[in-house]
Amino acid sequence: MPQHEHMERHKKRHGVRMDKMERDRKREARKAHKISEFAQKSFGLRAKLFNQKRFKEKAAMRKTLALHKEGSNKHANDDKVTDGAVPAYLLDRENVTRAKILSNTVKQKRKEKAGKWTVPIPKVKPIADDEMFKQMASGKRQKKNWKRMITKVTFVGDAYTRKAPKFERFIRPTGLRYKKAHITHPELKTTFCLDILGVKKNPSSTLYTNLGVITKGTIIEVNVSELGLVTQSGKVVWGKYAQITNNPELDGCINGVLLV
C-alpha cells in the first residue's frame, strides 16, 4: 500500500493538529527565505541549474501577471486624426486603445499558425509497453529480464552503431528496420518513395520517439529534395514532415501523408 494512503487514513481517523493551518502558513512564509539562502550559498553546476529553474518560474509568473493586467492596460494610439470637431468627453477615449484588443489579435494569429500544421490523424490509440516490448531473458541461466525487444517498425540512421549485445537494453530487430516510406502529396495526389531522415514525434511516448519507433500517427521527417520543392526565397526544400497513416508492422511498408 502506498505511503500516502496510510497518511490519509490517519487524518480521517484522528484528524489534524489544531494549529495545522498556522504551521502551513508559517512554512509558506519561510519558503522564500529558504530559497534565497540556497541561492546565495549554492555554486557551480548546482547553482546554474537552480538559476535556470528560477528563471522559468519567474517568466511564467510574469506572463500570469500580464494576463491579469491586460484588461486595464492602456497605450496611445498613433492613428491618423479624424477631420471635424470632437466632443470634449471623447477626446481622451479616442486616442487610447486597450491592450486586450492587441492581445486577442496575437492569439488569433497563433491559432491560424497552429492551423497550418493540422495533421490527417489528430488522435491515435496509445500503445502500451506490453504490446511494444517483448521481454528477453538473459544471463548465464536466463534468469535476468532487463532486456526488451521492440516488436514495432523502427528507424535507425546510416551512422547507427549497435551496442555490444551484452549491454544492449532495447533490441531493434534488423527485419523491422525501415529506411524508406511511401508518402502521398495531398495537393499533387501522387505517392513517392522517399528516404526517412528521422522520427520527429511518436504520440504514444517520448521513449518511442527516442528509440525511433514508427507507429500509426507518428510524425517523421522525409527527404523531399527529389520533388523539387522550393521556398519563397528560391532555396530547395531538403526535409519535410509527414504523418504515418497505416500500421507498418502489419502491412510490411510505411505509408504516410505529407504535411504541406
Side-chain angles (χ1 to χ4, degrees):
M1 184 183 288
Q3 178 67 21
H4 70 275
E5 288 187 13
H6 290 294
M7 292 160 75
E8 290 296 327
R9 187 190 295 175
H10 188 274
K11 279 180 193 173
K12 284 178 184 175
R13 285 181 179 175
H14 309 290
V16 293
R17 289 172 61 118
M18 300 292 283
D19 60 344
K20 184 183 183 299
M21 298 294 285
E22 186 67 13
R23 283 163 65 89
D24 288 347
R25 186 189 64 77
K26 285 182 178 178
R27 190 181 292 113
E28 193 66 29
R30 285 196 303 271
K31 194 176 178 183
H33 297 285
K34 291 274 186 186
I35 291 170
S36 175
E37 188 185 353
F38 179 81
Q40 289 173 36
K41 286 184 177 179
S42 59
F43 59 90
L45 183 62
R46 198 176 187 188
K48 189 178 177 182
L49 294 171
F50 177 75
N51 289 333
Q52 284 176 352
K53 183 186 169 189
R54 285 291 292 160
F55 180 80
K56 286 175 185 174
E57 284 174 6
K58 285 179 180 177
M61 197 184 296
R62 277 197 296 271
K63 280 182 185 175
T64 311
L65 291 171
L67 282 171
H68 288 304
K69 282 182 183 176
E70 71 176 5
S72 57
N73 189 10
K74 297 180 181 180
H75 62 276
N77 189 6
D78 298 328
D79 292 343
K80 194 173 72 174
V81 179
T82 53
D83 297 330
V86 180
Y89 61 87
L90 285 179
L91 281 170
D92 292 336
R93 202 178 297 175
E94 201 162 283
N95 293 326
V96 172
T97 179
R98 296 275 175 189
K100 201 160 192 176
I101 298 164
L102 187 69
S103 175
N104 289 339
T105 313
V106 172
K107 284 175 186 173
Q108 188 63 33
K109 281 185 179 177
R110 280 180 188 162
K111 280 182 184 176
E112 286 171 9
K113 195 174 180 183
K116 286 180 186 176
W117 302 107
T118 48
V119 289
I121 306 170
K123 285 187 180 179
V124 289
K125 182 187 169 188
I127 298 169
D129 286 356
D130 295 339
E131 188 184 343
M132 178 66 69
F133 302 117
K134 179 187 171 187
Q135 272 195 9
M136 295 283 291
S138 60
K140 188 177 180 180
R141 291 174 180 80
Q142 301 291 304
K143 285 191 175 181
K144 294 183 174 71
N145 288 309
W146 57 274
K147 289 191 177 190
R148 297 287 181 272
M149 182 186 279
I150 299 169
T151 59
K152 305 288 180 185
V153 167
T154 55
F155 166 77
V156 291
D158 293 327
Y160 171 72
T161 306
R162 187 183 168 189
K163 277 187 182 177
K166 188 176 181 181
F167 306 112
E168 192 177 30
R169 174 159 165 70
F170 295 105
I171 301 163
R172 287 171 265 203
T174 317
L176 288 173
R177 292 184 200 169
Y178 283 69
K179 290 188 178 180
K180 287 187 177 284
H182 303 114
I183 304 299
T184 304
H185 196 293
E187 291 172 2
L188 300 174
K189 307 289 184 191
T190 317
T191 305
F192 303 93
C193 187
L194 304 174
D195 291 324
I196 301 171
L197 296 176
V199 177
K200 178 68 177 171
K201 181 158 178 65
N202 189 313
S204 297
S205 168
T206 316
L207 173 65
Y208 302 164
T209 306
N210 296 337
L211 290 170
V213 178
I214 299 173
T215 54
K216 190 173 183 177
T218 304
I219 306 293
I220 61 167
E221 192 175 7
V222 289
N223 185 356
V224 292
S225 56
E226 297 172 9
L227 307 186
L229 300 174
V230 290
T231 59
Q232 290 178 346
S233 59
K235 291 181 180 177
V236 177
V237 178
W238 176 260
K240 248 185 173 324
Y241 294 134
Q243 189 180 33
I244 307 304
T245 54
N246 72 324
N247 293 311
E249 70 277 4
L250 301 178
D251 298 342
C253 64
I254 299 173
N255 299 333
V257 177
L258 202 68
L259 303 179
V260 180

